[in-house]
Amino acid sequence: MTYDVNKIRSHFPSLNTGLAFFCGPGGSQVPDVVGAAIAGAITKPISNRNTNTESEKNAEEIVVGFRQAVGDLIDVDPRGVVYGRSWTQLTYDFSRTLAKSWGPGDEIVVSRLDHDSNIRPWIQAAEAVGATVRWAEFDSATSELTVAAVEAVLSPKTKLVAVTGAGNTIGTRPDLKAIGVAVHKVGALFYVDGVHLTPHAAISVKEIGADFFGFSFYKLMGPHCAALAASPALLETLNNDKLLPATSAVPERFEFGTLPYELMAGCIAAIDFIAEMAPGNSTTRRERIVNSMNALEKYEDGLLEYLESSVKALPGVVMYGHAKHRTPTIYFSCAGHSSADIYTAMASKGVTLPASNFYALEVSRTLGLGDAGALRAGLAPYSIKDDVDRLVGGLKEILA
Ligand SMILES: Cc1ncc(COP(=O)(O)O)c(C=O)c1O
């Protein structure tokens, strides 16, 4: 089945504002079905999870459905899916838990390509126990984070390697599978931030070989929350802090307090929406998701080519993402103009084109952009050629 962008767009009430949204990497727009699922769950009979009353069963069904939907989305065992308020929160929690088994002499690897949420929690956790942090560097000329760059900082002392599935500004998609092989060769754990990758590609955590993989729903048409997946057996080995009466069961013992059932219902709806974007003739939800995401990737790659070549042709534009394998996200500045000023000028034209380091602070500094960063235009499932024309037309007027 082909990718019918107009049909998809008809589900997004926010598109009726007439705004052209390029802020998807910071948070996507949300389809009507997700809003309806959240409203439905919060107003139907709901009690704490159990199996006695209808209200308890409703909560139980949502939690089980949430884990199954994430399992289908990223190809993991639903019994190892942990709900989180955000990916940052999950990484802070897991870094503190994992650091309990580290000490002086142990090494942790972080990458310069990553969002700060997959860097600072590891540095702070390592510092707290006297472990050493080593940096895997990306090449600012090619934008690539190579397997060799990661291997260069691996050793038998390495306990964990934290790498992003895709750079959230320059879009680089490192070869996760090959990096995972190298990480496991030295006996370390592989922790992957899938926040910027998951909205743009079919993901199989099994194929990638990550020990931990997570993403945020609000980047892929869902509510503001996140999920982390690991094998239940690995989760069993982790000794996290928890309340005494709270269950020790996995994955529940990593989810603090009462779960937000309504948001979890919204997450299920977002994944079902993805499964129906371009499902093909498949019967299982997993297969429909893979078909949809493959169709989306093809669609976004085509539109990216148009976006990139049109923006590149404008006077004084400097592009920062050059990796061979990239998400449909461009990061650029315009000589003689402040990115922050362009951001506000474009906003007045109804185009969301934010400027920032977008918390990829190390990337911004490495590229010589300081902490201010540059402009980021990201495509999303509802993006169309007309949006790109409006972005390029607006920039042309500003740069004239
Ligand atoms: C690659 C990447 N990782 C992590 C995050 C942070 O996610 P959250 O807001 O769920 O903590 C973002 C958000 O911009 C991101 O793009």
Side-chain angles (χ1 to χ4, degrees):
M1 188 185 280
T2 52
Y3 189 81
D4 184 349
V5 73
N6 288 325
K7 188 167 156 234
I8 285 160
R9 284 174 68 85
S10 71
H11 283 283
F12 288 82
S14 65
L15 297 181
N16 297 333
T17 57
L19 283 169
F21 292 98
F22 287 94
C23 53
S28 65
Q29 301 308 299
V30 175
D32 45 14
V33 286
V34 172
I38 294 171
I42 204 162
T43 49
K44 72 179 170 187
I46 281 278
S47 303
N48 282 350
R49 287 175 72 185
N50 217 321
T51 49
N52 300 306
T53 63
E54 180 192 346
S55 53
E56 289 175 351
K57 283 181 197 160
N58 282 340
E60 179 66 19
E61 201 175 283
I62 289 170
V63 175
V64 171
F66 169 84
R67 301 201 205 287
Q68 186 59 57
V70 173
D72 288 347
L73 181 70
I74 59 172
D75 194 19
V76 292
D77 185 335
R79 295 169 305 162
V81 172
V82 180
Y83 170 89
R85 194 189 73 70
S86 66
W87 177 242
T88 303
Q89 175 251 305
L90 283 164
T91 302
Y92 260 119
D93 285 351
F94 277 84
S95 63
R96 289 173 182 140
T97 294
L98 287 158
K100 289 184 183 192
S101 63
W102 309 336
D106 289 335
E107 295 184 355
I108 307 309
V109 172
V110 292
S111 111
R112 197 79 65 184
L113 179 66
D114 275 68
H115 184 282
D116 217 55
S117 63
N118 205 28
I119 296 176
R120 228 54 59 179
W122 300 114
I123 293 180
Q124 291 160 5
E127 271 172 7
V129 296
T132 301
V133 173
R134 305 194 68 187
W135 289 87
E137 306 286 348
F138 74 95
D139 181 329
S140 57
T142 63
S143 311
E144 303 287 359
L145 174 69
T146 61
V147 184
V150 177
E151 276 173 337
V153 286
L154 294 177
S155 84
K157 297 180 200 158
T158 312
K159 291 287 169 202
L160 179 133
V161 177
V163 169
T164 190
N168 63 312
T169 52
I170 56 176
T172 306
R173 288 177 59 173
D175 184 344
L176 292 176
K177 199 172 169 180
I179 292 174
V181 169
V183 170
H184 291 142
K185 219 181 253 176
V186 297
L189 291 169
F190 188 30
Y191 190 98
V192 177
D193 170 352
V195 176
H196 186 59
L197 177 62
T198 309
H200 301 295
I203 304 287
S204 168
V205 176
K206 282 181 194 143
E207 266 178 37
I208 291 169
D211 297 296
F212 299 91
F213 186 100
F215 64 92
S216 295
F217 281 95
Y218 72 97
K219 314 277 193 188
L220 81 158
M221 302 180 287
H224 290 84
C225 58
L228 172 145
S231 82
L234 173 59
L235 291 177
E236 288 288 356
T237 66
L238 305 181
N239 171 28
N240 63 316
D241 292 327
K242 65 166 213 50
L243 303 182
L244 198 55
T247 179
S248 301
V250 164
E252 280 82 358
R253 76 163 180 251
F254 299 95
E255 298 170 324
F256 305 116
T258 307
L259 289 167
Y261 306 119
E262 63 281 5
L263 293 188
M264 296 173 102
C267 296
I268 300 169
I271 291 173
D272 284 336
F273 183 79
I274 289 168
E276 294 312 315
M277 285 196 309
N281 298 321
S282 319
T283 47
T284 70
R285 180 169 55 186
R286 170 69 190 160
E287 286 167 350
R288 296 204 305 276
I289 289 169
V290 170
N291 286 343
S292 285
M293 292 308 292
N294 286 340
L296 173 67
E297 191 174 357
K298 209 165 145 206
Y299 174 76
E300 287 187 332
D301 279 350
L303 198 55
L304 172 67
E305 242 179 81
Y306 181 60
L307 169 70
E308 191 166 31
S309 58
S310 309
V311 173
K312 247 188 199 162
L314 297 171
V317 164
V318 183
M319 289 281 186
Y320 298 105
H322 309 291
K324 275 201 199 103
H325 204 195
R326 266 184 300 147
T327 56
T329 302
I330 60 168
Y331 199 47
F332 64 100
S333 58
C334 307
H337 294 263
S338 117
S339 293
D341 288 348
I342 293 179
Y343 171 16
T344 46
M346 289 297 286
S348 70
K349 295 174 188 294
V351 179
T352 69
L353 177 66
S356 171
N357 59 54
F358 301 100
Y359 280 35
L361 191 62
E362 300 294 337
V363 174
S364 184
R365 290 178 177 173
T366 303
L367 295 175
L369 295 166
D371 292 4
L375 294 154
R376 178 176 70 179
L379 300 177
Y382 42 79
S383 300
I384 49 173
K385 186 171 171 288
D386 181 60
D387 293 336
V388 175
D389 290 338
R390 287 175 58 196
L391 179 138
V392 174
L395 284 173
K396 245 184 211 161
E397 283 172 20
I398 294 165
L399 302 179

